[in-house]
Amino acid sequence: MLPRLFLFDLDGTLVDSAPDLGGAANDMLAARGRPELPLEELRVPAGHGAPALLKRAFGIERDDPRFPELRDEFLRNYVARGVSHSSVYAGVRELLEGLREMGVASGVVTNKPHELALKVCDELALTPLLATIVGVGIPGTEVKPLPGSLLKALADLGAQPEAALYAGDSTTDGLAAHAAGMPFAWVAWGCQPEAPEAGVADFIAREPADLLVWAMRRGKC
């Protein structure tokens, strides 16, 4: 049978948000009179969220006493930017629509704060195509590679791990999927230029349409 649910990472998988994530870090540099960094230097860190971007821009780690304040400033800048320079990857809408026509529900599970995940999906008109959106900060969620957020999405929709799939652009996504008991597809168009560690990806998608083919193949297994 076809999978009942196909879950996706958000940044670097469904949405190219690197220009706004990187821009939020550059706004912080500009406010301090420091030169901005080229987007291409920020694209890979953007795929790992605020901690990686702050490390690239300011050389700080999570345990630095300045980190909480800088993270809050980064999030304020990012919220102010919205999705002004972000875009849905080509072929993603067709993928989500194709899954819906097959009777497979789609959802998002991301390490982005939950309210920001909702905002991005709303502003890019993805919400009507999604059965659930799960970001961190609400009960039952965990930062990937812990599986809690994926398990919450499954529970919210009454789906079992063996009847679901997950796609993302990083090893972290794959580890979370496997910890939740789900097959994982790595997407080659995201922020991470290198494929995940050996054994992490059950499938590699070069373009969104490949994920539709994978779902159909899983239904024949």
Short mmCIF file of all heavy atoms in Angstrom, two decimals, residues 5-10 13 107-111 134 144 149-150 161 164-170 172-178 180 182-187 202-203 211 214:
data_model
loop_
_atom_site.label_atom_id
_atom_site.label_comp_id
_atom_site.label_asym_id
_atom_site.label_seq_id
_atom_site.Cartn_x
_atom_site.Cartn_y
_atom_site.Cartn_z
N LEU A 5 1.56 8.94 4.91
CA LEU A 5 2.03 10.28 5.26
C LEU A 5 3.45 10.47 4.75
O LEU A 5 4.30 9.60 4.90
CB LEU A 5 1.99 10.45 6.78
CG LEU A 5 2.50 11.76 7.37
CD1 LEU A 5 1.67 12.94 6.90
CD2 LEU A 5 2.50 11.68 8.90
N PHE A 6 3.71 11.64 4.15
CA PHE A 6 5.04 12.01 3.70
C PHE A 6 5.41 13.32 4.40
O PHE A 6 4.79 14.35 4.15
CB PHE A 6 5.07 12.19 2.18
CG PHE A 6 6.44 12.01 1.56
CD1 PHE A 6 6.58 11.33 0.35
CD2 PHE A 6 7.58 12.52 2.15
CE1 PHE A 6 7.83 11.15 -0.24
CE2 PHE A 6 8.83 12.35 1.58
CZ PHE A 6 8.95 11.65 0.38
N LEU A 7 6.39 13.26 5.28
CA LEU A 7 6.83 14.42 6.04
C LEU A 7 8.10 15.00 5.43
O LEU A 7 8.93 14.27 4.88
CB LEU A 7 7.08 14.05 7.50
CG LEU A 7 5.85 13.54 8.27
CD1 LEU A 7 6.26 13.01 9.64
CD2 LEU A 7 4.81 14.65 8.42
N PHE A 8 8.26 16.32 5.57
CA PHE A 8 9.39 17.02 4.97
C PHE A 8 10.02 17.98 5.96
O PHE A 8 9.33 18.63 6.75
CB PHE A 8 8.93 17.84 3.75
CG PHE A 8 8.31 17.04 2.65
CD1 PHE A 8 6.94 16.80 2.65
CD2 PHE A 8 9.08 16.53 1.63
CE1 PHE A 8 6.35 16.06 1.63
CE2 PHE A 8 8.50 15.78 0.61
CZ PHE A 8 7.14 15.54 0.62
N ASP A 9 11.34 18.08 5.89
CA ASP A 9 12.04 19.21 6.49
C ASP A 9 11.58 20.47 5.72
O ASP A 9 11.04 20.35 4.61
CB ASP A 9 13.54 18.99 6.36
CG ASP A 9 14.35 20.14 6.93
OD1 ASP A 9 14.02 20.63 8.02
OD2 ASP A 9 15.31 20.55 6.25
N LEU A 10 11.80 21.64 6.29
CA LEU A 10 11.32 22.86 5.64
C LEU A 10 12.45 23.59 4.91
O LEU A 10 12.51 23.61 3.69
CB LEU A 10 10.67 23.78 6.67
CG LEU A 10 10.01 25.05 6.14
CD1 LEU A 10 8.92 24.73 5.12
CD2 LEU A 10 9.43 25.87 7.30
N THR A 13 14.65 22.08 1.92
CA THR A 13 13.94 20.92 1.37
C THR A 13 12.73 21.37 0.56
O THR A 13 12.61 21.07 -0.62
CB THR A 13 13.52 19.96 2.49
OG1 THR A 13 14.69 19.53 3.19
CG2 THR A 13 12.80 18.74 1.93
N GLY A 107 3.27 16.74 5.29
CA GLY A 107 3.46 17.56 6.48
C GLY A 107 4.89 18.06 6.57
O GLY A 107 5.78 17.59 5.86
N VAL A 108 5.10 19.02 7.46
CA VAL A 108 6.42 19.60 7.70
C VAL A 108 6.84 19.32 9.13
O VAL A 108 6.05 19.50 10.07
CB VAL A 108 6.41 21.13 7.44
CG1 VAL A 108 7.58 21.82 8.14
CG2 VAL A 108 6.44 21.41 5.95
N VAL A 109 8.08 18.88 9.30
CA VAL A 109 8.70 18.75 10.62
C VAL A 109 10.06 19.43 10.53
O VAL A 109 10.92 19.00 9.76
CB VAL A 109 8.84 17.28 11.05
CG1 VAL A 109 9.59 17.21 12.39
CG2 VAL A 109 7.48 16.63 11.19
N THR A 110 10.25 20.49 11.31
CA THR A 110 11.42 21.35 11.19
C THR A 110 11.98 21.71 12.55
O THR A 110 11.25 21.71 13.55
CB THR A 110 11.05 22.63 10.41
OG1 THR A 110 12.16 23.54 10.43
CG2 THR A 110 9.85 23.32 11.03
N ASN A 111 13.26 22.06 12.58
CA ASN A 111 13.88 22.59 13.80
C ASN A 111 13.62 24.08 13.97
O ASN A 111 14.02 24.67 14.96
CB ASN A 111 15.39 22.35 13.78
CG ASN A 111 15.77 20.95 14.24
OD1 ASN A 111 14.94 20.21 14.76
ND2 ASN A 111 17.02 20.58 14.04
N VAL A 134 4.93 21.03 12.13
CA VAL A 134 5.47 20.86 13.49
C VAL A 134 6.85 21.52 13.56
O VAL A 134 7.79 21.09 12.89
CB VAL A 134 5.59 19.37 13.87
CG1 VAL A 134 6.22 19.23 15.25
CG2 VAL A 134 4.22 18.70 13.84
N LYS A 144 15.83 17.97 16.16
CA LYS A 144 16.47 16.86 15.46
C LYS A 144 17.98 16.92 15.68
O LYS A 144 18.53 18.03 15.76
CB LYS A 144 16.16 16.94 13.96
CG LYS A 144 14.69 16.77 13.61
CD LYS A 144 14.42 16.98 12.11
CE LYS A 144 14.58 18.42 11.71
NZ LYS A 144 14.23 18.67 10.29
N SER A 149 9.80 15.35 17.44
CA SER A 149 8.92 16.15 16.57
C SER A 149 8.30 15.29 15.47
O SER A 149 7.13 15.47 15.12
CB SER A 149 9.70 17.31 15.96
OG SER A 149 10.10 18.23 16.97
N LEU A 150 9.09 14.34 14.93
CA LEU A 150 8.53 13.43 13.93
C LEU A 150 7.45 12.55 14.56
O LEU A 150 6.39 12.32 13.96
CB LEU A 150 9.63 12.57 13.34
CG LEU A 150 10.55 13.26 12.33
CD1 LEU A 150 11.77 12.40 12.05
CD2 LEU A 150 9.81 13.57 11.04
N PRO A 161 4.91 4.82 12.02
CA PRO A 161 6.18 5.09 11.32
C PRO A 161 6.36 4.29 10.03
O PRO A 161 6.87 4.81 9.04
CB PRO A 161 7.24 4.72 12.36
CG PRO A 161 6.56 4.87 13.68
CD PRO A 161 5.13 4.49 13.44
N ALA A 164 4.92 5.88 6.90
CA ALA A 164 5.31 7.26 6.66
C ALA A 164 6.71 7.33 6.07
O ALA A 164 7.50 6.39 6.16
CB ALA A 164 5.24 8.06 7.95
N LEU A 165 7.01 8.47 5.43
CA LEU A 165 8.32 8.74 4.85
C LEU A 165 8.76 10.13 5.31
O LEU A 165 7.93 10.98 5.65
CB LEU A 165 8.25 8.72 3.32
CG LEU A 165 7.66 7.48 2.66
CD1 LEU A 165 7.50 7.72 1.15
CD2 LEU A 165 8.53 6.26 2.91
N TYR A 166 10.08 10.34 5.30
CA TYR A 166 10.61 11.67 5.65
C TYR A 166 11.69 12.05 4.65
O TYR A 166 12.51 11.21 4.24
CB TYR A 166 11.18 11.67 7.06
CG TYR A 166 11.55 13.05 7.57
CD1 TYR A 166 10.64 14.10 7.54
CD2 TYR A 166 12.83 13.31 8.10
CE1 TYR A 166 10.97 15.36 8.02
CE2 TYR A 166 13.16 14.57 8.59
CZ TYR A 166 12.23 15.59 8.54
OH TYR A 166 12.55 16.84 9.02
N ALA A 167 11.72 13.33 4.26
CA ALA A 167 12.73 13.83 3.34
C ALA A 167 13.36 15.08 3.92
O ALA A 167 12.68 15.93 4.50
CB ALA A 167 12.12 14.14 1.97
N GLY A 168 14.67 15.20 3.76
CA GLY A 168 15.38 16.38 4.24
C GLY A 168 16.72 16.50 3.55
O GLY A 168 17.09 15.67 2.70
N ASP A 169 17.49 17.52 3.94
CA ASP A 169 18.73 17.80 3.23
C ASP A 169 19.98 17.60 4.08
O ASP A 169 21.05 18.09 3.72
CB ASP A 169 18.69 19.24 2.68
CG ASP A 169 18.74 20.29 3.78
OD1 ASP A 169 18.11 20.08 4.83
OD2 ASP A 169 19.41 21.33 3.59
N SER A 170 19.87 16.88 5.20
CA SER A 170 21.03 16.74 6.07
C SER A 170 21.08 15.38 6.75
O SER A 170 20.07 14.67 6.84
CB SER A 170 21.02 17.83 7.15
OG SER A 170 19.97 17.59 8.08
N THR A 172 21.44 15.08 9.87
CA THR A 172 20.60 15.26 11.05
C THR A 172 19.16 14.82 10.79
O THR A 172 18.54 14.14 11.61
CB THR A 172 20.62 16.73 11.51
OG1 THR A 172 21.96 17.08 11.88
CG2 THR A 172 19.70 16.97 12.68
N ASP A 173 18.64 15.19 9.63
CA ASP A 173 17.27 14.79 9.25
C ASP A 173 17.17 13.27 9.16
O ASP A 173 16.19 12.66 9.62
CB ASP A 173 16.88 15.42 7.91
CG ASP A 173 16.74 16.92 7.98
OD1 ASP A 173 16.33 17.44 9.03
OD2 ASP A 173 17.04 17.58 6.96
N GLY A 174 18.18 12.66 8.54
CA GLY A 174 18.16 11.21 8.38
C GLY A 174 18.24 10.47 9.70
O GLY A 174 17.53 9.47 9.91
N LEU A 175 19.06 10.96 10.61
CA LEU A 175 19.18 10.32 11.93
C LEU A 175 17.87 10.42 12.69
O LEU A 175 17.45 9.47 13.37
CB LEU A 175 20.31 10.97 12.72
CG LEU A 175 21.72 10.76 12.16
CD1 LEU A 175 22.74 11.56 12.97
CD2 LEU A 175 22.09 9.29 12.15
N ALA A 176 17.19 11.56 12.58
CA ALA A 176 15.89 11.72 13.24
C ALA A 176 14.87 10.76 12.66
O ALA A 176 14.09 10.14 13.40
CB ALA A 176 15.41 13.16 13.12
N ALA A 177 14.85 10.64 11.34
CA ALA A 177 13.89 9.75 10.69
C ALA A 177 14.10 8.31 11.13
O ALA A 177 13.15 7.62 11.50
CB ALA A 177 14.03 9.86 9.17
N HIS A 178 15.34 7.86 11.13
CA HIS A 178 15.61 6.48 11.51
C HIS A 178 15.31 6.25 12.99
O HIS A 178 14.83 5.18 13.37
CB HIS A 178 17.05 6.13 11.18
CG HIS A 178 17.30 5.99 9.71
ND1 HIS A 178 18.56 5.88 9.18
CD2 HIS A 178 16.44 5.96 8.65
CE1 HIS A 178 18.48 5.76 7.86
NE2 HIS A 178 17.20 5.82 7.52
N ALA A 180 12.98 7.59 14.54
CA ALA A 180 11.52 7.50 14.62
C ALA A 180 10.98 6.26 13.91
O ALA A 180 9.76 6.03 13.90
CB ALA A 180 10.88 8.75 14.01
N MET A 182 11.37 5.62 10.55
CA MET A 182 10.88 5.99 9.23
C MET A 182 11.99 5.92 8.19
O MET A 182 13.13 6.27 8.47
CB MET A 182 10.32 7.43 9.26
CG MET A 182 9.17 7.63 10.21
SD MET A 182 8.79 9.40 10.42
CE MET A 182 8.51 9.89 8.72
N PRO A 183 11.68 5.53 6.94
CA PRO A 183 12.65 5.63 5.84
C PRO A 183 12.94 7.10 5.55
O PRO A 183 12.09 7.98 5.75
CB PRO A 183 11.93 4.98 4.67
CG PRO A 183 10.84 4.15 5.27
CD PRO A 183 10.43 4.89 6.51
N PHE A 184 14.16 7.36 5.05
CA PHE A 184 14.60 8.73 4.82
C PHE A 184 15.11 8.93 3.40
O PHE A 184 15.89 8.11 2.89
CB PHE A 184 15.71 9.11 5.81
CG PHE A 184 16.34 10.44 5.54
CD1 PHE A 184 15.63 11.61 5.73
CD2 PHE A 184 17.65 10.52 5.08
CE1 PHE A 184 16.21 12.85 5.47
CE2 PHE A 184 18.24 11.75 4.82
CZ PHE A 184 17.52 12.92 5.03
N ALA A 185 14.70 10.04 2.78
CA ALA A 185 15.21 10.44 1.47
C ALA A 185 16.01 11.73 1.63
O ALA A 185 15.52 12.69 2.23
CB ALA A 185 14.08 10.65 0.48
N TRP A 186 17.22 11.73 1.10
CA TRP A 186 18.03 12.94 1.10
C TRP A 186 17.79 13.71 -0.20
O TRP A 186 17.76 13.12 -1.28
CB TRP A 186 19.52 12.60 1.20
CG TRP A 186 20.41 13.80 1.12
CD1 TRP A 186 20.61 14.76 2.09
CD2 TRP A 186 21.24 14.18 0.02
NE1 TRP A 186 21.51 15.69 1.65
CE2 TRP A 186 21.92 15.37 0.39
CE3 TRP A 186 21.49 13.62 -1.23
CZ2 TRP A 186 22.82 16.01 -0.45
CZ3 TRP A 186 22.38 14.26 -2.08
CH2 TRP A 186 23.04 15.44 -1.69
N VAL A 187 17.59 15.05 -0.10
CA VAL A 187 17.33 15.86 -1.29
C VAL A 187 18.62 16.60 -1.68
O VAL A 187 19.28 17.21 -0.83
CB VAL A 187 16.16 16.84 -1.06
CG1 VAL A 187 14.92 16.07 -0.63
CG2 VAL A 187 16.50 17.91 -0.05
N ASP A 202 17.98 6.32 2.60
CA ASP A 202 17.37 5.18 1.94
C ASP A 202 17.10 5.47 0.46
O ASP A 202 16.87 4.55 -0.32
CB ASP A 202 16.06 4.81 2.64
CG ASP A 202 16.27 4.45 4.09
OD1 ASP A 202 16.89 3.41 4.35
OD2 ASP A 202 15.85 5.23 4.96
N PHE A 203 17.14 6.75 0.12
CA PHE A 203 16.85 7.17 -1.25
C PHE A 203 17.47 8.55 -1.44
O PHE A 203 17.52 9.35 -0.50
CB PHE A 203 15.34 7.23 -1.48
CG PHE A 203 14.93 7.60 -2.88
CD1 PHE A 203 15.01 6.68 -3.92
CD2 PHE A 203 14.47 8.87 -3.17
CE1 PHE A 203 14.64 7.02 -5.21
CE2 PHE A 203 14.08 9.22 -4.46
CZ PHE A 203 14.17 8.29 -5.48
N LEU A 211 10.81 12.30 -5.51
CA LEU A 211 10.18 11.89 -4.26
C LEU A 211 8.79 11.30 -4.52
O LEU A 211 8.35 10.41 -3.79
CB LEU A 211 10.09 13.07 -3.29
CG LEU A 211 11.43 13.59 -2.78
CD1 LEU A 211 11.23 14.85 -1.94
CD2 LEU A 211 12.16 12.52 -1.97
N TRP A 214 9.50 7.84 -5.56
CA TRP A 214 9.87 7.02 -4.40
C TRP A 214 8.64 6.58 -3.62
O TRP A 214 8.51 5.43 -3.22
CB TRP A 214 10.82 7.82 -3.51
CG TRP A 214 11.41 7.06 -2.36
CD1 TRP A 214 12.01 5.84 -2.42
CD2 TRP A 214 11.47 7.48 -1.00
NE1 TRP A 214 12.46 5.47 -1.17
CE2 TRP A 214 12.15 6.45 -0.28
CE3 TRP A 214 11.05 8.61 -0.32
CZ2 TRP A 214 12.39 6.55 1.09
CZ3 TRP A 214 11.30 8.71 1.04
CH2 TRP A 214 11.95 7.69 1.73
#
